């Protein structure tokens, strides 16, 4: 039995290795675009998380304190062991933990709320918290630099290391929204060495495609974690106007604070009326 001879390739048609290289290049560019979108969303989540803590952290703390006081007042009135246990647990959650002051983001210490936080709770004027939101120019510069200097485009290890170090600086400047530094980095990259690309063999291209696929899976998991996080979910509710969303949450929390204060006052009055 004879095997059919392979049909000759049409003149001018790309060779299989060339088609494979095109597939690798397309996968690389798609992955870079995905990473750019993911990094942009990560920066937005980080900035929104910082603003959320600065603006609403004191109110959450006030609510937790009121809840503990209500449970303590209830336990004092009923004398029930279960009520006392719940009150003790609530108070224990509010006790300061040594070594975590730096996690409180400058709105509270062992002596209580800072003046800005107190002013926020009492509807007084307060200095608005610092917020970083990359401008359109910063976004454009970041995307251009990420496409040109991405480490995945390197063919040699030394070039990959150089690109990784450079992209680290680009990411840091983008996170700060520093347009001036991004412009300087763009000029630096344009003036830097352009590595000579070596031809790839078919086996290397297959390995490259497998690596790209694994990295895409990893980035997909990271994107899912960001989207499903509490801050990410909140940000997706109002991506174009997160400040409005914070204002709405602040109003809801203020209502809860007033309700808890009224409940606590009622418990104190009942205790005073008890003969």
């Amino acid at each position: 039995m004879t095997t059919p001879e392979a049909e000759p390739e049409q003149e001018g048609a790309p060779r299989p290795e060339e088609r494979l290289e095109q597939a690798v290049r397309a996968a690389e560019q798609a992955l870079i675009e995905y990473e750019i979108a993911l990094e942009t969303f990560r920066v937005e989540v980080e900035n929104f998380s910082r603003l959320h803590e600065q603006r609403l952290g004191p109110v959450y703390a006030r609510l937790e304190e009121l809840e503990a006081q209500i449970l303590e007042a209830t336990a004092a009135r009923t004398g029930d062991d279960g009520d006392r246990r719940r009150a003790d647990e609530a108070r224990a959650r509010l006790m300061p933990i040594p070594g975590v002051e730096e996690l409180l983001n400058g709105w509270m210490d062992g002596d209580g709320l800072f003046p800005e936080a107190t002013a926020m709770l009492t509807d007084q004027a307060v200095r608005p918290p610092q917020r970083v939101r990359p401008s359109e120019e910063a976004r454009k510069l970041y995307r251009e630099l990420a496409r040109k200097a991405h480490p995945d485009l390197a063919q040699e290890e030394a070039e990959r290391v150089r690109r990784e170090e450079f992209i680290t600086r680009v990411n840091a400047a983008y996170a700060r929204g520093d347009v001036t530094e991004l412009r300087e980095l763009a000029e630096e990259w344009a003036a830097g060495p352009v590595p000579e690309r070596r031809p790839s063999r078919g086996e290397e291209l297959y390995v490259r495609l497998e690596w790209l696929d694994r990295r895409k899976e990893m980035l997909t998991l990271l994107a899912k974690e960001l989207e499903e996080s509490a801050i990410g979910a909140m940000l997706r509710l109002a991506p174009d106007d997160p400040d409005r969303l914070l204002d709405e949450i602040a109003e809801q929390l203020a209502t809860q604070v007033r309700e808890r204060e009224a409940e606590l006052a009622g418990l104190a009055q009942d205790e005073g009326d008890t003969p």
Side-chain angles (χ1 to χ4, degrees), residues 29 62 64 67 76 78 86 96 107 167 251 257:
Q29 289 302 317
R62 176 61 176 160
E64 291 174 353
E67 291 288 354
T78 65
R86 284 187 287 273
W107 54 264
I167 284 295
E251 291 177 5
V257 166

Side-chain angles (χ1 to χ4, degrees), residues 21-22 24-26 28-29 32 147-156 159 163 189 193-200 204-205 208:
E21 187 168 8
Q22 291 172 2
V24 169
R25 299 294 170 260
E28 287 175 340
Q29 289 302 317
I32 289 172
R147 291 193 189 101
K148 295 175 181 177
H150 200 282
D152 288 351
L153 299 178
Q155 298 296 312
E156 298 180 351
E159 175 63 11
R163 286 171 175 262
W189 182 260
V194 179
E196 182 179 352
R197 301 180 69 88
R198 299 189 308 175
S200 300
E204 294 174 332
L205 292 172
R208 180 66 170 165

Side-chain angles (χ1 to χ4, degrees), residues 70 74 85 115 142-143 159 167 195 208 220 223 234-235 269 271:
I70 289 171
T74 300
R85 185 182 67 257
Y142 173 74
R143 291 176 66 85
E159 175 63 11
I167 284 295
R208 180 66 170 165
T220 300
M234 290 172 60
L235 184 59
Q269 183 177 359
E271 183 68 19

Side-chain angles (χ1 to χ4, degrees), residues 216-262:
K216 177 64 180 298
E217 290 180 358
M218 182 195 72
L219 292 174
T220 300
L221 291 175
L222 292 176
K224 184 178 180 181
E225 289 178 3
L226 278 174
E227 291 174 353
E228 294 181 351
S229 67
I231 295 298
M234 290 172 60
L235 184 59
R236 285 187 294 133
L237 292 175
D240 298 326
D241 191 7
D243 293 323
R244 177 183 59 79
L245 178 61
L246 284 180
D247 290 340
E248 293 176 356
I249 296 173
E251 291 177 5
Q252 295 172 5
L253 291 176
T255 299
Q256 294 178 34
V257 166
R258 290 192 294 269
E259 292 173 350
R260 298 299 185 277
E261 289 175 338

Side-chain angles (χ1 to χ4, degrees), residues 137-138 141 173 177-187:
E137 183 178 359
L141 288 166
D178 193 333
V179 174
T180 300
E181 185 172 355
L182 286 170
R183 290 196 195 110
E184 293 173 352
L185 287 167
E187 294 174 359

